[in-house]
Amino acid sequence: LLASLYASKEQNYMYSYCRPEWLSKERRMPMLAAELLAYDADILCLQEVDYSVFTDFFRPMLYSKGYRGFYSNKISQQREGCAMFWRDDRFDCTMKDTLAIRDLLKQEVDAYVIDTDKWDSMKGIHNLLASHKNLREIVAEKVGTVCQIARLRLKQTQQQHQLPEQMLVANTHLFFHPMADHVRAIQAFVICRKMDELRRSERNNDGDPFLLCGDLNSDPCAGAMQLLFAQSLIPDLTDCWKHLDLYKWNELDDEDGDEGPSANTNFVDDNMQSHTSSQHQCCQATVPALKFPASFPHLFSGCQDIPEFTNFVRGFQETLDYVLASQPAEDGSNIGFVPVSSAPMPSRSDIVPYIAMPNEHMPSDHIAVVCDLQFSRKEI
């Protein structure tokens, strides 16, 4: 949504072209609410939501329109996080939870032996963290990323063959730093590992269908997206790990907004590019191949054509936001989703006259990803 605390903080830098009133939450939030209601969605996954905006505005407004939901603050002094809503007449929520990725990572690293035949890349992550103190401190102690997960039971399914009894929805906002592609890849792996555990309920050991939504702070070619789309991330075939030894935690990383690389990080990155190859080689032996087990469903984008961008600020335009859905199993053992349609996205020429986003007519610096999906089962 563009949290109000970041909009005001960046007013004199990133959003200096905006009139102050265009950035005020009193103006932006009603515009965002009208947009969300116009989509008439069954499920809403929002990121960068101010806690006060959730409690004082979005929750009462959306509850009055027949939604239910919950909020999860990121682990930070900043009062912003993720919010998820669903239609009360379509779903019963039987479980909702907020997972701290750094805590989940610790648990999974400790427990990887139990499931090593399926998610054996956890062993490689464990070895990497054990040998790399700086990375261990970043992903297991510093980064405050959370993931919301809800189990939604469909109402009035009446034994319909193409409808599952329930589904899972995950909503997250991955770590933002432009030199932390490797951190986001690890975060994506751990989230999917947990989703696989939760989707295999007593009712359906083959696995419930699920959605993974959020601001993943990763362009379509980034390591996290290679992993999510291709189900594997091989060190020799990616530059995802090129900043493994270069990126160091800065306490400001816990406070900055997530909107593209800052001038300072660009400077650091550009000046260190000449060292990337040698640094990458020195840690090559410890970098694991990340692979999903064959039983984990393939994921696809709810937007059949990946947008040119979903974030448009001065000096940075890229696709960072996604709705990912699980495909039906090829053997017909479980239900998944198939794409139906997606909302049109603005073009660059639509935004350039206003310099960037937000602006007088666009209340956020991100564009909503809106899509229609349909449950489906492969016929054998």
Side-chain angles (χ1 to χ4, degrees):
L1 299 184
L2 177 55
S4 295
L5 64 96
Y6 300 140
S8 59
K9 179 180 178 181
E10 300 290 354
Q11 183 174 334
N12 294 323
Y13 167 56
M14 191 176 293
Y15 309 133
S16 58
Y17 62 91
C18 286
R19 295 180 182 176
E21 59 266 28
W22 296 350
L23 294 175
S24 70
K25 66 181 180 181
E26 290 78 14
R27 184 178 190 275
R28 293 193 304 111
M29 295 308 148
M31 293 174 69
L32 287 166
E35 180 181 348
L36 291 176
L37 291 175
Y39 295 139
D40 194 28
D42 292 328
I43 298 170
L44 297 169
C45 290
L46 312 177
Q47 305 83 41
E48 213 174 285
V49 182
D50 295 275
Y51 174 71
S52 62
V53 168
F54 172 83
T55 57
D56 299 340
F57 185 74
F58 277 103
R59 182 170 61 185
M61 183 273 295
L62 288 170
Y63 272 42
S64 73
K65 299 297 183 180
Y67 288 89
R68 295 295 180 266
F70 70 114
Y71 169 88
S72 303
N73 207 90
K74 69 179 186 180
I75 305 171
S76 168
Q77 294 181 350
Q78 308 298 336
R79 297 293 281 166
E80 62 95 350
C82 297
M84 184 191 302
F85 296 93
W86 55 87
R87 282 194 177 279
D88 191 46
D89 62 350
R90 297 294 303 272
F91 305 102
D92 287 321
C93 181
T94 61
M95 181 276 290
K96 60 178 184 284
D97 200 1
T98 300
L99 305 175
I101 303 304
R102 67 191 190 193
D103 293 341
L104 183 61
L105 180 63
K106 294 174 189 175
Q107 296 167 6
E108 295 295 353
V109 167
D110 292 341
Y112 76 87
V113 176
I114 298 174
D115 208 17
T116 187
D117 61 323
K118 293 172 60 178
W119 288 85
D120 54 3
S121 293
M122 283 306 303
K123 183 175 181 179
I125 293 175
H126 168 80
N127 291 336
L128 178 60
L129 296 182
S131 64
H132 205 290
K133 180 181 177 182
N134 179 59
L135 179 64
R136 182 170 67 251
E137 290 178 345
I138 292 170
V139 300
E141 298 176 20
K142 300 294 187 180
V143 175
T145 304
V146 298
C147 180
Q148 294 185 302
I149 294 186
R151 180 177 287 118
L152 303 179
R153 188 178 302 280
L154 279 69
K155 293 184 176 181
Q156 302 175 343
T157 57
Q158 277 98 36
Q159 306 292 323
Q160 295 183 53
H161 178 63
Q162 295 294 342
L163 291 180
E165 289 188 19
Q166 59 189 20
M167 60 181 288
L168 284 175
V169 182
N171 179 32
T172 191
H173 190 174
L174 297 187
F175 186 51
F176 77 97
H177 200 284
M179 294 175 70
D181 193 17
H182 56 292
V183 173
R184 289 184 287 275
I186 293 173
Q187 290 181 325
F189 183 90
V190 175
I191 288 172
C192 288
R193 167 65 185 86
K194 189 63 177 180
M195 290 291 286
D196 197 37
E197 173 190 325
L198 293 174
R199 75 187 187 91
R200 296 178 184 277
S201 65
E202 294 180 1
R203 291 175 174 268
N204 182 11
N205 192 52
D206 288 324
D208 296 319
F210 67 91
L211 302 176
L212 173 56
C213 307
D215 179 349
L216 304 186
N217 271 311
S218 302
D219 67 63
C221 296
M225 301 317 299
Q226 291 182 50
L227 176 64
L228 292 169
F229 284 134
Q231 297 203 310
S232 67
L233 186 64
I234 309 302
D236 291 342
L237 303 179
T238 179
D239 63 358
C240 170
W241 304 95
K242 68 180 181 181
H243 292 136
L244 175 61
D245 291 328
L246 296 177
Y247 172 60
K248 309 295 182 183
W249 177 263
N250 185 315
E251 291 305 320
L252 292 178
D253 290 345
D254 188 44
E255 301 176 3
D256 287 347
D258 299 297
E259 314 312 330
S262 69
N264 286 338
T265 53
N266 268 337
F267 176 80
V268 172
D269 188 36
D270 291 343
N271 280 273
M272 289 187 173
Q273 287 301 318
S274 61
H275 301 290
T276 295
S277 178
S278 61
Q279 289 281 2
H280 182 49
Q281 290 300 320
C282 79
C283 64
Q284 186 77 17
T286 62
V287 172
L290 301 183
K291 296 181 180 180
F292 294 161
S295 60
F296 190 71
H298 286 270
L299 304 178
F300 68 92
S301 169
C303 293
Q304 293 173 280
D305 295 321
I306 298 293
E308 180 184 359
F309 53 84
T310 62
N311 178 217
F312 198 112
V313 295
R314 288 202 297 189
F316 183 81
Q317 299 89 42
E318 191 53 86
T319 296
L320 304 177
D321 307 274
Y322 302 86
V323 173
L324 304 180
S326 61
Q327 294 181 355
E330 290 295 329
D331 62 4
S333 59
N334 59 13
I335 294 173
F337 297 92
V338 293
V340 176
S341 62
S342 58
M345 306 293 280
S347 67
R348 189 174 297 270
S349 61
D350 293 326
I351 300 174
V352 167
Y354 304 99
I355 300 179
M357 298 172 60
N359 55 57
E360 181 180 3
H361 303 289
M362 302 172 183
S364 175
D365 54 353
H366 285 251
I367 301 163
V369 177
V370 185
C371 56
D372 290 326
L373 302 171
Q374 181 175 304
F375 290 114
S376 179
R377 185 195 295 272
K378 293 280 189 179
E379 298 293 343
I380 303 302

